[in-house]
Amino acid sequence: MSALIRRYAAELCHKRMLKPNYPTLVLTCHVSTRVAPQLNGAAATTGLYGFDHLKNPKGFQRFVDDAIERSGELVNYISSMPSSAEVVRAMDEISNTVCCVVDSAELCRNTHPDREFVEAAGKASMRINEYLHYLNTNHTLYAAVKRAEKDGHLLTKEAHRAANQLRIDFEKGGIHLPPEKLARVNQLNLSILQLSREFGENITIDPGYVDIFPASRIPKHIHHLLKPIHRFTSGTSSGSLGSWNNMKEKGLRITTDHRTLVSVMHWVSDEEVRKMAYIQGNSVPHANLEVLDKLAAARHELAQMMGYRSYAEFVVKPNLASSPEVVISFLHEMSKMVRPRADEEFEAIKNFKREKCGQRCIDLEPWDETYYTAMMKSSAHNLDSSIVASYFPLPQCIEGLKVLVNSLFGAMLCNVPMAPGESWHPDVLKMSLHHPEEGDLGYLYLDLYSRKGKYPGCANFAVKGGCRISETEYQLPVVALLCNFSGSPGSSTVRLNHGDVETLFHEFGHALHSLFSRTDYQHFSGTRVALDFAEMPSNLFEYYAWDYRVLRTFAKHYSTGEIIPEKLVKSMQGARDMFAATELQRQVFYALADQTLFGEQPALPNDMSSILAEFKMQHTSWKHVEGTNWQIRFSHLVNYGAGYYSYLYAKCFAATIWKKLCQEDPLSLTAGTALRTKVLQHGGSKEPAELLNDLVGEGILKHCDGGIVPDITCFLEESRYKMLCHVEDDRARNGRVTATDQSPEVVKVSCPGSPVEFEKNSTII
């Protein structure tokens, strides 16, 4: 329950996200719901996701009514002072009952094609969140949880941990504050909820666009992504030299949403077109400048009322890192380590541009990066993206997920029919995770194709969290995996570029974390873990999308059935490694910017856009383009506020697990069983540091100034990052880092004795 709406999440870079709910309410439901029993046969009709209430939009109102009624009964029961074990169980059922509304409403709002359903889900979401405020400020529940935490008769460690977490989460909601302060905290929480929703809606409503004439300035193979437009121009008629007629000229409108923008940056050779699209795509929605300022201010005030110096401290404290100082120290070390190599890559791109377009091209601009790096990768490794995609038809990629499940866990992903009314769109598939000895372990909805009005990114939405109902009955987890691949199921041309394959595997890692969860309480189910641990499984599963031993089991040519050649995979890996420092630098910059935005605030308000612009020049090799504001479309600042560093933590943890457990045999049942039994099945019921050490032993994390940072040894040993090691070796000789005994090339980042401060006036190289 956290105590009923916690959210964590993810999207690699700024694309992939474990779709979260709203974190500022004490009673939280990140991955939980109570879903109606699975129906046998196709005769019975149900509602969305198996909820009988949701057969029509009006059902959401009754859904909320019933959740409030049942929660009220449980509150009354807890008031009668049952045993501590029964208090914890009843609190978990309140969470389960309320979260079924929250999670189903969020999934519906973001995916349903029917506006009536979307609007009804939005109203249900706001109403249930108002009820959550009542629960969060209920002193009877708070007192019962405190008594349970002190009770030595709770039978299990997980029950003790649940009582402790519930008490902490109540207090994070301000229940221990004086009435006037608590009232203000509640106002701030509602404001943060509304601002967060407004931020996302603005991105959907105002993606921006630029009109390009003539259409020939855009390569034909991406015309299908754009909207045809026309304009009338004046010209001479063929009949008379002096006669003028209006002529119709064809153009294209580039909608500058993220997916379209990436394609334009990649394929359009016309630099002016790329520039226009880049600037527009990073300048809208303008309304989010004010929304983000208000959000940062509200979060900062909330944190200070709770006794923290900043919202970053409020967010980071319960996680592995424990403090913003530990996070910033880790990020600064990474930034210094990566800068020399990133600068070398920048110069290489700039020189390549000059070779291609002559000395008239003096500067390298941000809109050049994707275009020229793609060209350089293709040239160096003889890669053609259409050839690569021909080996990844979407149905085969889904087969790849099935191969992983079978090989690693001895289980099966089986297509199962949906009852009438259960699905929200004809494209949606439903699968069961089935073990031959254990039976069904959970259910997965796949909604993989792009369509108008759908959540634009890739994400995992909770539908139901797993929990033990009785000695013999377990509530199975249900999740929905969303992507936005081009095409439709009936098309024979739905083939993924390899980046999409990696995204699919990333999101599948999140899904498995939920589906294999076997916690007693849904409070700890699946991805309800420490923020800086949540992305580890998803990052680990990206490795499987790159390993040839895995790819050869499913990557087959869409027409010939030929298995993907190993030589092609090696070329893909080489291309991936070419600008690894640039990409790593970008992620470090995002994480540092996130910590700055939600860190300690100056006495006088600052222009955040100017600060971030300067910050970009300090921590990346690329210039800032005046007038652009990348942050107004960067949803992670809302969904992962002060937690974006978690992606880098996850990359380092995943690198160590891959090398020590999976690399020797990526399809090993032994490795998969260890991953399931030592990490995935525990969800958040154990400390993440305990889980990590139990899985691979020492050498995966380090203690630093009261917090925990990843050991980056295995991360640096990977081919794409080995070029950073010589930089670290130089610094190691100056006492900045300690080299490992096993390999003189690889070093571990040391823990500085004092936190690294931001140097806003440092020299820009």
Side-chain angles (χ1 to χ4, degrees):
M1 185 171 356
S2 214
L4 287 175
I5 294 186
R6 173 154 51 197
R7 85 188 191 204
Y8 302 130
E11 238 189 75
L12 177 66
C13 308
H14 39 242
K15 296 188 296 182
R16 284 170 248 177
M17 188 180 303
L18 171 66
K19 183 60 181 178
N21 293 313
Y22 299 95
T24 50
L25 303 180
V26 177
L27 294 177
T28 71
C29 27
H30 170 55
V31 287
S32 60
T33 56
R34 193 170 184 82
V35 174
Q38 297 298 317
L39 298 170
N40 294 320
T45 300
T46 185
L48 287 176
Y49 329 125
F51 292 106
D52 281 338
H53 288 92
L54 302 183
K55 293 178 180 178
N56 57 64
K58 292 181 180 179
F60 268 108
Q61 182 174 343
R62 184 60 187 166
F63 206 15
V64 176
D65 291 340
D66 284 1
I68 291 174
E69 181 180 352
R70 176 56 183 158
S71 297
E73 293 171 354
L74 291 165
V75 170
N76 291 336
Y77 173 69
I78 293 170
S79 301
S80 70
M81 300 186 67
S83 69
S84 295
E86 290 169 330
V87 166
V88 175
R89 183 64 66 191
M91 289 290 290
D92 203 59
E93 186 178 343
I94 293 175
S95 173
N96 224 5
T97 302
V98 173
C99 289
C100 71
V101 180
V102 174
D103 292 333
S104 59
E106 282 304 297
L107 179 57
C108 182
R109 281 196 328 106
N110 284 279
T111 62
H112 208 291
D114 187 331
R115 285 305 304 174
E116 284 191 51
F117 264 105
V118 171
E119 290 170 6
K123 291 176 182 177
S125 178
M126 293 306 295
R127 187 171 164 222
I128 200 68
N129 277 303
E130 290 171 1
Y131 179 67
L132 281 167
H133 283 295
Y134 158 74
L135 294 174
N136 293 343
T137 56
N138 188 304
H139 284 269
T140 299
L141 298 180
Y142 178 50
V145 165
K146 288 199 295 183
R147 285 195 303 272
E149 183 184 12
K150 294 175 182 177
D151 190 346
H153 295 93
L154 285 173
L155 297 179
T156 67
K157 289 183 179 180
E158 185 175 339
H160 276 287
R161 182 172 172 84
N164 171 260
Q165 289 296 312
L166 285 166
R167 192 264 305 164
I168 291 172
D169 290 334
F170 265 115
E171 292 174 357
K172 286 183 73 174
I175 198 169
H176 60 298
L177 298 175
E180 64 278 5
K181 284 192 174 182
L182 178 56
R184 180 57 181 159
V185 166
N186 287 336
Q187 289 175 352
L188 289 168
N189 278 329
L190 279 175
S191 177
I192 290 167
L193 174 67
Q194 291 163 349
L195 289 166
S196 299
R197 181 167 292 179
E198 185 179 349
F199 188 92
E201 289 174 350
N202 286 342
I203 293 173
T204 301
I205 293 168
D206 183 17
Y209 67 88
V210 292
D211 292 340
I212 303 299
F213 290 95
S216 58
R217 298 175 74 183
I218 310 288
K220 285 187 177 180
H221 72 277
I222 65 168
H223 280 198
H224 68 284
L225 299 175
L226 313 177
K227 180 181 179 181
I229 55 175
H230 298 87
R231 68 179 179 184
F232 289 98
T233 59
S234 297
T236 59
S237 69
S238 57
S240 172
L241 189 60
S243 174
W244 291 81
N245 285 330
N246 286 333
M247 298 177 64
K248 197 174 183 181
E249 182 181 26
K250 181 181 178 181
L252 291 167
R253 174 165 293 179
I254 300 172
T255 303
T256 52
D257 61 273
H258 174 73
R259 191 174 184 86
T260 306
L261 190 61
V262 168
S263 293
V264 171
M265 294 297 107
H266 184 116
W267 294 108
V268 175
S269 61
D270 189 320
E271 181 172 351
E272 186 62 27
V273 172
R274 296 199 310 271
K275 177 181 178 180
M276 292 166 62
Y278 175 91
I279 291 175
Q280 179 68 359
N282 285 277
S283 303
V284 293
H286 191 75
N288 275 353
L289 282 171
E290 183 179 1
V291 171
L292 199 54
D293 283 344
K294 288 181 177 179
L295 181 64
R299 284 176 166 175
H300 184 67
E301 183 182 351
L302 172 69
Q304 292 207 311
M305 294 195 73
M306 300 301 299
Y308 296 88
R309 292 172 297 167
S310 66
Y311 184 71
E313 184 179 44
F314 178 70
V315 168
V316 174
K317 187 174 177 61
N319 297 301
L320 286 165
S322 295
S323 74
E325 289 79 13
V326 170
V327 172
I328 292 170
S329 172
F330 172 76
L331 294 175
H332 270 273
E333 286 291 335
M334 294 284 278
S335 180
K336 293 171 186 175
M337 176 181 68
V338 76
R339 184 61 187 254
R341 180 61 182 178
D343 285 344
E344 290 177 12
E345 291 178 358
F346 180 87
E347 289 301 317
I349 302 168
K350 184 164 70 172
N351 290 336
F352 183 82
K353 179 183 178 181
R354 286 179 175 173
E355 290 175 8
K356 290 296 178 182
C357 58
Q359 289 301 314
R360 70 182 186 280
C361 301
I362 299 174
D363 294 325
L364 186 64
E365 305 290 351
W367 50 84
D368 291 330
E369 180 187 355
T370 302
Y371 180 70
Y372 285 108
T373 55
M375 195 181 298
M376 292 170 75
K377 289 177 179 182
S378 177
S379 175
H381 296 280
N382 193 28
L383 278 178
D384 183 324
S385 60
S386 64
I387 292 177
V388 173
S390 68
Y391 289 96
F392 295 106
L394 183 53
Q396 283 301 120
C397 294
I398 294 174
E399 287 301 310
L401 304 182
K402 294 179 179 181
V403 168
L404 280 183
V405 164
N406 185 253
S407 299
L408 290 174
F409 308 112
M412 297 176 286
L413 268 183
C414 307
N415 289 50
V416 293
M418 282 182 276
E422 182 180 357
S423 179
W424 56 98
H425 193 276
D427 291 353
V428 176
L429 300 175
K430 183 179 181 181
M431 293 183 161
S432 66
L433 179 62
H434 182 85
H435 193 279
E437 297 174 2
E438 302 170 52
D440 285 347
L441 302 177
Y443 297 93
L444 172 67
Y445 292 112
L446 294 177
D447 185 355
L448 302 179
Y449 299 94
S450 178
R451 62 178 178 269
K452 186 177 180 180
K454 180 183 170 183
Y455 174 77
C458 298
N460 243 40
F461 281 74
V463 179
K464 177 172 67 168
C467 63
R468 189 160 302 285
I469 297 174
S470 68
E471 290 295 323
T472 59
E473 186 180 4
Y474 194 85
Q475 177 174 284
L476 297 181
V478 181
V479 295
L481 192 163
L482 270 61
C483 290
N484 272 276
F485 302 140
S486 299
S488 62
S491 172
S492 61
T493 61
V494 181
R495 299 188 287 275
L496 305 186
N497 62 57
H498 189 263
D500 286 337
V501 178
E502 186 182 49
T503 296
L504 180 63
F505 277 59
H506 176 104
E507 297 301 340
F508 191 60
H510 282 312
L512 290 180
H513 200 177
S514 293
L515 295 173
F516 278 124
S517 175
R518 282 302 175 270
T519 57
D520 287 343
Y521 302 100
Q522 67 84 38
H523 182 83
F524 295 131
S525 180
T527 52
R528 301 190 71 168
V529 298
L531 177 63
D532 44 18
F533 179 65
E535 292 290 333
M536 184 281 291
S538 56
N539 275 267
L540 178 63
F541 270 78
E542 290 180 23
Y543 283 87
Y544 292 99
W546 285 100
D547 193 290
Y548 179 70
R549 293 165 294 180
V550 177
L551 293 176
R552 69 186 178 189
T553 66
F554 72 90
K556 300 175 182 179
H557 196 276
Y558 73 98
S559 65
T560 67
E562 176 198 12
I563 295 172
I564 190 169
E566 185 173 8
K567 183 178 179 181
L568 177 59
V569 175
K570 287 182 177 179
S571 293
M572 291 158 55
Q573 293 167 343
R576 172 200 62 188
D577 296 349
M578 281 184 69
F579 301 100
T582 299
E583 182 53 41
L584 179 59
Q585 182 186 66
R586 183 175 8 258
Q587 297 307 308
V588 173
F589 162 65
Y590 286 153
L592 281 168
D594 179 44
Q595 289 294 310
T596 301
L597 181 62
F598 298 113
E600 293 188 53
Q601 303 296 309
L604 296 175
N606 281 334
D607 177 9
M608 186 53 64
S609 293
S610 298
I611 292 173
L612 293 179
E614 184 177 348
F615 218 57
K616 182 178 180 181
M617 291 186 287
Q618 288 182 25
H619 292 282
T620 81
S621 309
W622 297 80
K623 67 172 68 171
H624 169 73
V625 179
E626 192 67 31
T628 61
N629 293 282
W630 62 270
Q631 70 274 16
I632 60 179
R633 295 179 68 161
F634 196 67
S635 296
H636 287 80
L637 295 175
V638 174
N639 300 323
Y640 249 39
Y644 193 79
Y645 75 93
S646 300
Y647 285 108
L648 291 166
Y649 264 47
K651 284 181 179 295
C652 295
F653 290 141
T656 302
I657 294 169
W658 177 258
K659 180 171 183 182
K660 293 190 173 186
L661 184 68
C662 308
Q663 189 173 47
E664 183 176 343
D665 181 2
L667 296 174
S668 163
L669 179 61
T670 301
T673 301
L675 184 63
R676 178 187 173 186
T677 58
K678 294 185 177 183
V679 175
L680 300 179
Q681 75 177 29
H682 297 293
S685 65
K686 292 185 177 182
E687 289 293 332
E690 178 186 347
L691 298 176
L692 290 167
N693 282 325
D694 188 37
L695 182 64
V696 297
E698 295 183 358
I700 192 169
L701 52 82
K702 299 188 300 178
H703 294 271
C704 174
D705 285 351
I708 290 173
V709 298
D711 189 305
I712 67 171
T713 303
C714 293
F715 180 72
L716 289 180
E717 286 178 345
E718 293 184 359
S719 60
R720 57 185 135 172
Y721 299 119
K722 273 193 173 181
M723 71 284 184
L724 305 179
C725 295
H726 72 278
V727 178
E728 287 295 285
D729 283 339
D730 291 341
R731 293 168 62 198
R733 286 190 284 273
N734 293 321
R736 298 295 300 278
V737 292
T738 304
T740 62
D741 295 332
Q742 292 83 358
S743 172
E745 288 186 65
V746 181
V747 296
K748 301 178 182 179
V749 175
S750 68
C751 178
S754 58
V756 178
E757 301 295 335
F758 289 111
E759 300 173 350
K760 292 189 170 95
N761 297 316
S762 62
T763 304
I764 300 172
I765 299 175

